[in-house]
Amino acid sequence: MTRKQLEELGLTKEQADKIMEINGGDIENAKGNFEERIKALESEKGELSSQITAKSL
């Protein structure tokens, strides 16, 4: 949703700005959570690859 869309719904500029600010914070939090999960999965992948290699020898 864009600021323009919020204003078209009848919200004031200040209301639209506040909603965009809150939404932006939510998005940044979600991105942070995904980045942490990706790092954990990459680490797990490396450990599993090592285990497969060790068992193959």
Side-chain angles (χ1 to χ4, degrees):
M1 182 169 288
T2 65
R3 182 174 280 105
K4 181 180 176 186
Q5 289 172 319
L6 292 171
E7 290 175 3
E8 287 173 353
L9 291 172
L11 298 176
T12 65
K13 180 182 181 327
E14 293 78 20
Q15 291 169 326
D17 288 345
K18 188 63 178 174
I19 290 170
M20 296 302 286
E21 179 184 330
I22 293 168
N23 189 50
D26 289 343
I27 290 170
E28 289 304 313
N29 286 337
K31 285 180 8 183
N33 292 338
F34 281 118
E35 290 171 0
E36 290 173 20
R37 184 67 180 134
I38 288 169
K39 287 179 185 176
L41 289 171
E42 287 173 343
S43 176
E44 184 178 349
K45 176 187 169 204
E47 292 170 16
L48 292 170
S49 292
S50 295
Q51 290 175 14
I52 290 169
T53 301
K55 290 187 183 213
S56 297
L57 299 175

